[in-house]
Coordinates of all heavy atoms in Angstrom, one line a residue:
V212 N -0.5 9.7 20.2 CA -1.2 9.5 19.0 C -2.7 9.0 19.3 O -2.9 8.5 20.3 CB -0.6 8.5 18.0 CG1 0.8 9.0 17.7 CG2 -0.5 7.1 18.7
I213 N -3.6 9.4 18.3 CA -4.9 8.9 18.4 C -5.2 8.1 17.2 O -5.2 8.6 16.1 CB -5.9 10.1 18.4 CG1 -5.6 11.1 19.6 CG2 -7.3 9.7 18.5 CD1 -6.3 12.4 19.6
D214 N -5.3 6.8 17.4 CA -5.5 5.9 16.2 C -6.9 6.1 15.6 O -7.9 6.0 16.2 CB -5.3 4.5 16.6 CG -3.9 4.1 16.8 OD1 -3.0 4.9 16.3 OD2 -3.6 3.0 17.4
L215 N -6.9 6.3 14.3 CA -8.1 6.5 13.5 C -8.0 5.9 12.1 O -6.9 6.0 11.5 CB -8.5 8.0 13.3 CG -8.8 8.8 14.6 CD1 -8.9 10.3 14.2 CD2 -10.2 8.4 15.1
P216 N -9.0 5.2 11.6 CA -9.0 4.8 10.3 C -9.2 5.9 9.3 O -9.6 7.0 9.6 CB -10.2 3.8 10.2 CG -11.1 4.3 11.2 CD -10.3 4.8 12.3
T217 N -8.7 5.7 8.1 CA -8.7 6.8 7.1 C -10.1 7.4 6.9 O -10.2 8.6 6.8 CB -8.2 6.2 5.7 OG1 -6.9 5.6 5.9 CG2 -8.1 7.2 4.6
T218 N -11.1 6.6 6.9 CA -12.5 7.0 6.7 C -13.0 8.0 7.8 O -14.0 8.7 7.5 CB -13.4 5.9 6.6 OG1 -13.2 5.0 7.7 CG2 -13.2 5.2 5.3
E219 N -12.3 8.1 8.9 CA -12.7 9.0 10.0 C -11.9 10.2 10.2 O -12.2 11.0 11.1 CB -12.8 8.1 11.3 CG -13.8 7.0 11.3 CD -13.8 6.2 12.6 OE1 -13.2 6.7 13.6 OE2 -14.3 5.1 12.7
V220 N -10.8 10.3 9.4 CA -9.9 11.4 9.7 C -10.5 12.8 9.3 O -10.3 13.8 10.0 CB -8.6 11.2 8.8 CG1 -7.7 12.4 9.0 CG2 -7.9 9.9 9.4
Y221 N -11.3 12.9 8.2 CA -11.9 14.1 7.8 C -12.7 14.8 8.9 O -12.5 15.9 9.3 CB -12.7 14.0 6.5 CG -13.3 15.3 6.0 CD1 -12.7 16.1 5.1 CD2 -14.6 15.7 6.5 CE1 -13.2 17.2 4.7 CE2 -15.1 16.9 6.1 CZ -14.4 17.7 5.1 OH -15.0 18.9 4.8
S222 N -13.6 14.0 9.5 CA -14.5 14.5 10.5 C -13.7 14.8 11.8 O -14.0 15.7 12.5 CB -15.6 13.5 10.9 OG -15.1 12.3 11.4
A223 N -12.6 14.0 12.0 CA -11.7 14.3 13.2 C -11.0 15.6 13.0 O -10.8 16.4 14.0 CB -10.7 13.1 13.4
L224 N -10.5 15.9 11.8 CA -9.9 17.2 11.6 C -10.9 18.3 11.7 O -10.7 19.4 12.2 CB -9.3 17.2 10.2 CG -8.0 16.4 9.9 CD1 -7.8 16.2 8.5 CD2 -6.8 17.1 10.6
E225 N -12.1 18.1 11.2 CA -13.2 19.1 11.2 C -13.6 19.5 12.6 O -13.8 20.6 12.9 CB -14.4 18.5 10.4 CG -15.5 19.5 10.2 CD -16.7 18.9 9.4 OE1 -17.0 17.7 9.5 OE2 -17.3 19.7 8.6
R226 N -13.6 18.5 13.4 CA -14.0 18.7 14.8 C -12.8 19.0 15.8 O -13.1 19.3 17.0 CB -14.8 17.5 15.4 CG -16.1 17.2 14.7 CD -16.8 16.0 15.2 NE -16.2 14.7 14.8 CZ -15.5 13.8 15.6 NH1 -15.5 14.1 16.9 NH2 -15.0 12.8 15.1
G227 N -11.7 19.0 15.2 CA -10.5 19.4 16.0 C -10.0 18.3 17.0 O -9.2 18.5 17.9
V228 N -10.5 17.0 16.7 CA -10.0 15.9 17.4 C -8.5 15.7 17.2 O -7.8 15.3 18.1 CB -10.8 14.6 17.1 CG1 -10.3 13.4 17.8 CG2 -12.3 14.8 17.5
V229 N -8.1 15.9 16.0 CA -6.7 15.8 15.6 C -6.3 17.1 14.8 O -7.2 17.7 14.2 CB -6.4 14.5 14.8 CG1 -6.5 13.3 15.6 CG2 -7.1 14.5 13.5
D230 N -5.0 17.4 14.9 CA -4.6 18.6 14.1 C -3.3 18.3 13.3 O -2.7 19.2 12.8 CB -4.4 19.8 15.0 CG -3.6 19.6 16.2 OD1 -2.7 18.6 16.2 OD2 -3.8 20.3 17.2
A231 N -3.0 17.0 13.2 CA -1.9 16.6 12.4 C -2.0 15.1 12.0 O -2.6 14.4 12.8 CB -0.6 16.9 13.1
T232 N -1.4 14.7 10.9 CA -1.4 13.3 10.6 C -0.3 13.0 9.6 O 0.2 13.9 8.9 CB -2.8 13.0 9.8 OG1 -2.8 11.6 9.5 CG2 -2.9 13.7 8.5
G233 N 0.2 11.8 9.6 CA 1.0 11.3 8.6 C 0.2 10.9 7.4 O -1.0 10.4 7.6
W234 N 0.6 11.1 6.2 CA -0.1 10.6 5.0 C 0.9 10.6 3.8 O 1.9 11.3 3.9 CB -1.3 11.5 4.7 CG -2.2 10.8 3.6 CD1 -2.3 11.3 2.3 CD2 -3.0 9.6 3.7 NE1 -3.1 10.5 1.6 CE2 -3.6 9.5 2.3 CE3 -3.2 8.7 4.7 CZ2 -4.3 8.4 2.1 CZ3 -4.0 7.7 4.3 CH2 -4.6 7.5 3.1
T235 N 0.5 9.9 2.8 CA 1.4 9.8 1.6 C 1.4 11.1 0.9 O 0.7 12.0 1.1 CB 0.9 8.6 0.7 OG1 -0.4 9.0 0.2 CG2 0.9 7.3 1.4
Q236 N 2.4 11.2 0.0 CA 2.6 12.4 -0.8 C 1.4 12.8 -1.7 O 1.3 13.9 -2.1 CB 3.9 12.3 -1.6 CG 5.2 12.2 -0.8 CD 6.3 11.9 -1.7 OE1 6.3 11.0 -2.6 NE2 7.4 12.7 -1.6
I237 N 0.6 11.8 -2.0 CA -0.6 12.1 -2.8 C -1.8 11.6 -2.1 O -1.8 10.8 -1.2 CB -0.5 11.4 -4.2 CG1 -0.3 9.9 -4.1 CG2 0.7 12.0 -5.0 CD1 -0.2 9.2 -5.4
G238 N -3.0 12.1 -2.6 CA -4.3 11.7 -2.0 C -4.9 12.7 -1.1 O -6.1 12.5 -0.7
L239 N -4.1 13.6 -0.5 CA -4.7 14.6 0.4 C -5.8 15.3 -0.1 O -6.8 15.6 0.5 CB -3.6 15.6 0.9 CG -3.7 16.2 2.3 CD1 -3.3 15.2 3.3 CD2 -2.9 17.4 2.4
I240 N -5.7 15.7 -1.5 CA -6.8 16.4 -2.1 C -8.0 15.5 -2.3 O -9.2 16.0 -2.2 CB -6.3 17.1 -3.4 CG1 -5.2 18.1 -3.2 CG2 -7.4 17.7 -4.3 CD1 -4.5 18.6 -4.5
D241 N -7.8 14.3 -2.7 CA -8.9 13.4 -2.9 C -9.7 13.3 -1.6 O -11.0 13.2 -1.7 CB -8.4 12.0 -3.3 CG -7.7 12.0 -4.7 OD1 -7.9 12.9 -5.5 OD2 -6.9 11.1 -4.9
L242 N -9.0 13.2 -0.5 CA -9.7 13.0 0.8 C -10.2 14.3 1.4 O -10.9 14.3 2.4 CB -8.7 12.4 1.8 CG -8.2 11.0 1.4 CD1 -7.0 10.5 2.2 CD2 -9.4 10.0 1.7

Side-chain angles (χ1 to χ4, degrees):
V212 300
I213 303 170
D214 284 343
L215 292 169
T217 305
T218 50
E219 295 179 17
V220 175
Y221 181 92
S222 62
L224 288 166
E225 186 177 39
R226 292 180 287 113
V228 174
V229 295
D230 50 27
T232 185
W234 187 252
T235 63
Q236 293 175 310
I237 58 177
L239 208 76
I240 296 172
D241 294 339
L242 294 163

